[in-house]
Coordinates of all heavy atoms in Angstrom, one line a residue:
G46 N 54.0 -78.5 -44.7 CA 55.0 -78.3 -43.7 C 55.1 -76.9 -43.2 O 54.8 -76.0 -44.0
E47 N 55.7 -76.7 -42.0 CA 55.9 -75.4 -41.5 C 57.4 -75.3 -41.3 O 58.0 -76.1 -40.6 CB 55.2 -75.3 -40.2 CG 53.6 -75.3 -40.4 CD 52.8 -75.2 -39.2 OE1 52.5 -74.1 -38.8 OE2 52.5 -76.3 -38.6
P48 N 58.0 -74.3 -41.9 CA 59.5 -74.2 -41.9 C 59.9 -73.9 -40.4 O 59.2 -73.3 -39.6 CB 59.8 -73.0 -42.8 CG 58.5 -72.5 -43.3 CD 57.4 -73.3 -42.7
T49 N 61.1 -74.3 -40.1 CA 61.7 -74.0 -38.8 C 63.1 -73.3 -39.0 O 63.5 -73.2 -40.1 CB 62.0 -75.3 -38.0 OG1 63.1 -76.0 -38.6 CG2 60.8 -76.2 -38.0
E50 N 63.7 -73.0 -37.9 CA 65.0 -72.4 -37.9 C 66.1 -73.4 -37.5 O 67.2 -73.1 -37.3 CB 65.1 -71.2 -37.0 CG 64.2 -70.0 -37.4 CD 64.6 -69.4 -38.7 OE1 65.8 -69.3 -38.9 OE2 63.7 -69.1 -39.5
R51 N 65.7 -74.7 -37.4 CA 66.6 -75.8 -37.0 C 67.3 -76.4 -38.2 O 66.6 -76.8 -39.2 CB 65.8 -76.9 -36.3 CG 65.3 -76.4 -34.9 CD 64.7 -77.6 -34.1 NE 63.9 -78.5 -34.9 CZ 62.6 -78.4 -35.1 NH1 61.9 -77.3 -34.7 NH2 61.9 -79.3 -35.8
L52 N 68.6 -76.4 -38.2 CA 69.4 -76.9 -39.3 C 69.3 -78.5 -39.3 O 69.2 -79.1 -38.2 CB 70.8 -76.5 -39.1 CG 71.7 -76.6 -40.3 CD1 71.2 -75.7 -41.5 CD2 73.1 -76.1 -39.9
C53 N 69.2 -79.1 -40.4 CA 69.2 -80.5 -40.5 C 70.4 -81.1 -39.8 O 71.5 -80.7 -40.1 CB 69.1 -81.0 -42.0 SG 69.2 -82.8 -42.2
P54 N 70.2 -82.1 -38.9 CA 71.4 -82.6 -38.2 C 72.2 -83.6 -39.1 O 73.3 -83.9 -38.7 CB 70.7 -83.4 -37.1 CG 69.4 -83.8 -37.6 CD 68.9 -82.7 -38.5
V55 N 71.8 -83.9 -40.3 CA 72.5 -84.8 -41.1 C 73.3 -84.0 -42.2 O 74.5 -84.1 -42.2 CB 71.6 -85.9 -41.8 CG1 72.3 -86.7 -42.8 CG2 70.9 -86.7 -40.7
C56 N 72.6 -83.3 -43.1 CA 73.3 -82.6 -44.1 C 73.8 -81.2 -43.7 O 74.7 -80.7 -44.3 CB 72.4 -82.5 -45.4 SG 71.0 -81.3 -45.2
E57 N 73.2 -80.7 -42.7 CA 73.6 -79.4 -42.2 C 73.6 -78.3 -43.2 O 74.3 -77.3 -43.1 CB 74.9 -79.4 -41.4 CG 74.9 -80.4 -40.3 CD 76.2 -80.5 -39.5 OE1 77.3 -80.2 -40.1 OE2 76.2 -80.9 -38.4
R58 N 72.7 -78.4 -44.3 CA 72.6 -77.4 -45.3 C 71.3 -76.7 -45.3 O 71.2 -75.6 -45.8 CB 72.9 -78.1 -46.7 CG 74.3 -78.4 -47.0 CD 74.4 -79.0 -48.3 NE 73.5 -80.1 -48.5 CZ 73.7 -81.3 -49.0 NH1 74.9 -81.5 -49.5 NH2 72.8 -82.2 -49.1
E59 N 70.2 -77.4 -45.0 CA 68.9 -76.9 -45.0 C 68.2 -77.0 -43.6 O 68.6 -77.8 -42.8 CB 68.0 -77.7 -46.0 CG 68.5 -77.5 -47.4 CD 67.5 -78.2 -48.4 OE1 66.3 -78.1 -48.1 OE2 67.9 -78.7 -49.4
N60 N 67.3 -76.1 -43.4 CA 66.5 -76.2 -42.2 C 65.4 -77.2 -42.4 O 64.9 -77.4 -43.5 CB 65.8 -74.8 -41.9 CG 66.8 -73.8 -41.5 OD1 67.9 -74.1 -41.1 ND2 66.4 -72.5 -41.6
V61 N 65.1 -77.9 -41.3 CA 64.1 -78.9 -41.3 C 62.7 -78.2 -41.4 O 62.5 -77.1 -40.9 CB 64.2 -79.9 -40.2 CG1 65.4 -80.7 -40.3 CG2 64.0 -79.2 -38.8
T62 N 61.7 -79.0 -41.8 CA 60.3 -78.6 -41.9 C 59.5 -79.5 -41.0 O 59.7 -80.7 -41.0 CB 59.8 -78.7 -43.4 OG1 60.6 -77.9 -44.2 CG2 58.4 -78.3 -43.5
N63 N 58.6 -78.9 -40.2 CA 57.7 -79.7 -39.4 C 56.5 -80.1 -40.1 O 55.8 -79.2 -40.7 CB 57.3 -79.0 -38.1 CG 58.4 -79.0 -37.1 OD1 59.4 -79.7 -37.1 ND2 58.3 -78.1 -36.1
V64 N 56.2 -81.4 -40.1 CA 54.9 -81.9 -40.7 C 54.1 -82.5 -39.6 O 54.6 -83.3 -38.8 CB 55.2 -83.0 -41.8 CG1 53.8 -83.4 -42.4 CG2 56.1 -82.4 -42.9
T65 N 52.9 -82.0 -39.4 CA 52.0 -82.4 -38.3 C 50.9 -83.3 -38.8 O 50.1 -82.9 -39.8 CB 51.4 -81.2 -37.6 OG1 52.5 -80.4 -37.2 CG2 50.6 -81.5 -36.4
Y66 N 50.7 -84.5 -38.2 CA 49.7 -85.4 -38.6 C 48.7 -85.6 -37.4 O 49.1 -85.5 -36.3 CB 50.2 -86.8 -39.0 CG 51.0 -86.8 -40.3 CD1 52.4 -86.7 -40.3 CD2 50.3 -86.9 -41.5 CE1 53.1 -86.7 -41.5 CE2 51.0 -86.9 -42.7 CZ 52.4 -86.8 -42.7 OH 53.1 -86.8 -43.8
V67 N 47.4 -85.9 -37.7 CA 46.4 -86.1 -36.7 C 45.8 -87.4 -36.8 O 45.6 -87.9 -38.0 CB 45.4 -85.0 -36.7 CG1 45.9 -83.6 -36.3 CG2 44.7 -84.9 -38.0
Y68 N 45.6 -88.1 -35.7 CA 44.9 -89.4 -35.7 C 43.9 -89.5 -34.5 O 44.2 -89.0 -33.5 CB 46.0 -90.5 -35.5 CG 46.9 -90.7 -36.7 CD1 48.1 -90.0 -36.8 CD2 46.5 -91.6 -37.7 CE1 48.9 -90.1 -37.9 CE2 47.4 -91.7 -38.8 CZ 48.5 -91.0 -38.9 OH 49.4 -91.1 -40.0
G69 N 42.8 -90.2 -34.8 CA 41.9 -90.4 -33.7 C 40.5 -90.9 -34.3 O 40.2 -90.5 -35.4
E70 N 39.9 -91.7 -33.6 CA 38.6 -92.2 -34.1 C 37.6 -91.2 -34.3 O 36.8 -91.2 -35.3 CB 38.0 -93.2 -33.0 CG 38.8 -94.5 -33.0 CD 38.2 -95.5 -31.9 OE1 36.9 -95.4 -31.7 OE2 38.9 -96.3 -31.4
C71 N 37.6 -90.1 -33.5 CA 36.6 -89.1 -33.6 C 36.8 -88.2 -34.9 O 35.9 -87.4 -35.2 CB 36.5 -88.2 -32.4 SG 38.0 -87.2 -32.1
L72 N 37.9 -88.3 -35.5 CA 38.2 -87.4 -36.6 C 37.6 -87.8 -38.0 O 37.6 -87.0 -38.9 CB 39.8 -87.3 -36.8 CG 40.5 -86.7 -35.7 CD1 42.0 -86.7 -36.0 CD2 40.1 -85.3 -35.3
G73 N 37.2 -89.0 -38.0 CA 36.6 -89.5 -39.3 C 37.5 -89.3 -40.5 O 38.7 -89.8 -40.4
R74 N 37.1 -88.7 -41.5 CA 37.9 -88.5 -42.7 C 39.2 -87.7 -42.5 O 40.1 -87.7 -43.3 CB 37.1 -87.9 -43.9 CG 36.6 -86.5 -43.6 CD 35.8 -86.0 -44.8 NE 35.3 -84.6 -44.5 CZ 36.0 -83.5 -44.8 NH1 37.2 -83.7 -45.3 NH2 35.5 -82.4 -44.5
H75 N 39.3 -87.0 -41.4 CA 40.5 -86.1 -41.2 C 41.6 -87.0 -40.6 O 42.8 -86.5 -40.5 CB 40.1 -85.0 -40.2 CG 39.2 -84.0 -40.8 ND1 39.5 -83.2 -41.8 CD2 37.9 -83.8 -40.5 CE1 38.5 -82.4 -42.1 NE2 37.5 -82.8 -41.3
A76 N 41.3 -88.2 -40.1 CA 42.3 -89.0 -39.4 C 43.4 -89.3 -40.4 O 43.2 -89.7 -41.6 CB 41.7 -90.3 -38.9
G77 N 44.7 -89.2 -40.0 CA 45.8 -89.5 -40.8 C 46.2 -88.4 -41.8 O 47.2 -88.6 -42.5
Q78 N 45.6 -87.3 -41.7 CA 45.9 -86.1 -42.6 C 47.0 -85.2 -42.0 O 47.1 -85.1 -40.8 CB 44.7 -85.3 -42.9 CG 43.7 -86.0 -43.8 CD 42.5 -85.1 -44.1 OE1 42.4 -84.0 -43.6 NE2 41.6 -85.6 -45.0
A79 N 47.8 -84.6 -42.9 CA 48.7 -83.6 -42.4 C 47.9 -82.3 -42.2 O 47.0 -81.9 -43.0 CB 49.8 -83.4 -43.5
K80 N 48.2 -81.6 -41.2 CA 47.5 -80.3 -40.8 C 48.5 -79.2 -40.5 O 49.7 -79.5 -40.1 CB 46.6 -80.5 -39.6 CG 45.5 -81.5 -39.8 CD 44.5 -81.1 -40.8 CE 43.4 -82.1 -40.9 NZ 42.4 -81.7 -42.0
V81 N 48.1 -78.0 -40.6 CA 49.0 -76.9 -40.2 C 48.5 -76.5 -38.8 O 47.4 -76.8 -38.4 CB 48.9 -75.7 -41.1 CG1 49.5 -76.0 -42.5 CG2 47.5 -75.2 -41.3
T82 N 49.4 -75.9 -38.0 CA 49.1 -75.6 -36.6 C 47.9 -74.8 -36.4 O 47.1 -75.1 -35.5 CB 50.3 -74.8 -36.0 OG1 51.5 -75.6 -36.2 CG2 50.1 -74.6 -34.5
S83 N 47.6 -73.9 -37.3 CA 46.3 -73.1 -37.1 C 45.1 -73.9 -37.2 O 44.1 -73.6 -36.5 CB 46.3 -72.0 -38.2 OG 46.3 -72.5 -39.5
E84 N 45.1 -75.0 -37.9 CA 44.0 -75.9 -38.0 C 43.8 -76.7 -36.7 O 42.7 -77.0 -36.3 CB 44.1 -76.9 -39.1 CG 44.0 -76.3 -40.5 CD 44.3 -77.3 -41.6 OE1 45.4 -77.7 -41.8 OE2 43.3 -77.8 -42.2
L85 N 44.9 -77.0 -36.0 CA 44.8 -77.7 -34.7 C 44.0 -77.0 -33.7 O 43.3 -77.6 -32.9 CB 46.2 -78.0 -34.2 CG 47.1 -78.9 -35.1 CD1 48.4 -79.1 -34.4 CD2 46.4 -80.2 -35.4
I86 N 44.1 -75.7 -33.7 CA 43.4 -74.9 -32.7 C 41.9 -75.1 -32.8 O 41.1 -75.4 -31.9 CB 43.8 -73.4 -32.8 CG1 45.2 -73.2 -32.4 CG2 42.9 -72.5 -31.9 CD1 45.8 -71.9 -32.8
T87 N 41.4 -75.0 -34.0 CA 40.0 -75.2 -34.3 C 39.6 -76.7 -34.0 O 38.5 -76.9 -33.4 CB 39.7 -74.9 -35.8 OG1 40.1 -73.6 -36.1 CG2 38.2 -75.1 -36.1
M88 N 40.4 -77.6 -34.4 CA 40.1 -79.0 -34.2 C 40.1 -79.4 -32.7 O 39.2 -80.2 -32.3 CB 41.1 -79.9 -34.9 CG 41.1 -79.9 -36.4 SD 42.4 -80.8 -37.2 CE 41.8 -82.5 -36.8

Side-chain angles (χ1 to χ4, degrees):
E47 297 177 89
T49 72
E50 296 296 320
R51 293 187 319 274
L52 200 57
C53 173
V55 176
C56 72
E57 298 179 339
R58 288 183 305 228
E59 294 189 33
N60 290 342
V61 294
T62 302
N63 283 344
V64 182
T65 303
Y66 290 96
V67 294
Y68 291 90
E70 291 180 27
C71 67
L72 297 178
R74 65 181 179 85
H75 295 290
Q78 291 183 352
K80 300 290 183 184
V81 294
T82 303
S83 60
E84 291 178 283
L85 296 178
I86 296 166
T87 303
M88 292 177 72

